[in-house]
Amino acid sequence: ELFKQFAPADVEEIFLPIVLHLCRDPVATVRSVAASKVGDLLVALGGELDIARMDESTREMIGRVVKRVKEFSLDTYQAKQNFVTMCSSLANKVSSSLFIFEFAPMLLSLSEDEVPNVRLVLASILAQFAKDVDTATGGKLKITVHSNASLFKAPEIKRAVQGGQAQ
């Protein structure tokens, strides 16, 4: 991809501001396309590496980018929707430790967002993820998405996972 042709510092300095600016564009399609490129951008910076294997400068650069991406989860409903789209792009590109530590908690909080469209985008991306896992494993692994907090209410999820009631 385009980002891999440049030094990580150049990607952070030049392309990150462009992509994040386009993620706030008034045109929904522009926002969506830009949000879908955030995963590629983080990979170009070394985000596919496990956090423990990153050198200090890479860890700091990834930290700065992650901070800017996470700001979308605390902004307008459009920015929150874009954050969910960004996370969809990140989920299969960056290391699982980076995703789980930095982005999953924000997604969990958005599952209770007051704006239905934010929850709808999140639910549709989770449903698509479940289908992708089923397809990728040839049906050997199935993820069941329980909608409307039918299995556990959002505040109870962490406790249910810790107690072995859910995985």
Side-chain angles (χ1 to χ4, degrees):
E1 279 250 3
L2 173 70
F3 302 134
K4 290 184 178 183
Q5 298 176 26
F6 297 90
D10 293 334
V11 172
E12 181 185 18
E13 185 179 327
I14 299 166
F15 293 104
L16 176 66
I18 293 169
V19 169
L20 295 182
H21 178 74
L22 291 174
C23 284
R24 296 187 185 281
D25 195 88
V27 177
T29 304
V30 173
R31 289 191 308 268
S32 180
V33 170
S36 73
K37 295 301 176 191
V38 171
D40 295 329
L41 193 142
L42 265 175
V43 166
L45 297 175
E48 80 281 3
L49 300 173
D50 188 88
I51 295 171
R53 293 190 344 219
M54 289 179 191
D55 61 49
E56 188 62 31
S57 65
T58 300
R59 195 175 303 118
E60 288 174 6
M61 188 180 321
I62 294 291
R64 289 189 302 269
V65 174
V66 164
K67 180 181 177 192
R68 293 190 62 190
V69 169
K70 286 168 63 173
E71 288 171 357
F72 280 77
S73 71
L74 304 171
D75 205 344
T76 66
Y77 80 92
Q78 288 177 337
K80 291 175 184 178
Q81 289 174 306
N82 276 345
F83 176 77
V84 173
T85 303
M86 290 177 202
C87 287
S88 176
S89 163
L90 293 164
N92 62 356
K93 293 184 180 172
V94 301
S95 71
S96 58
S97 60
L98 178 64
F99 186 82
I100 289 169
F101 182 71
E102 295 291 351
F103 300 105
M106 305 304 286
L107 286 174
L108 182 58
S109 70
L110 290 177
S111 70
E112 297 180 340
D113 196 82
E114 63 187 36
V115 179
N117 285 356
V118 172
R119 298 190 312 271
L120 179 62
V121 170
L122 179 57
S124 64
I125 284 176
L126 290 175
Q128 184 60 50
F129 175 74
K131 288 178 188 175
D132 292 347
V133 167
D134 184 45
T135 301
T137 63
K140 293 179 182 176
L141 178 62
K142 292 190 180 288
I143 297 173
T144 304
V145 178
H146 294 273
S147 60
N148 297 326
S150 60
L151 189 59
F152 296 101
K153 302 289 184 212
E156 300 168 358
I157 293 172
K158 183 177 178 183
R159 197 169 331 124
V161 171
Q162 289 172 337
Q165 296 172 298
Q167 296 181 334

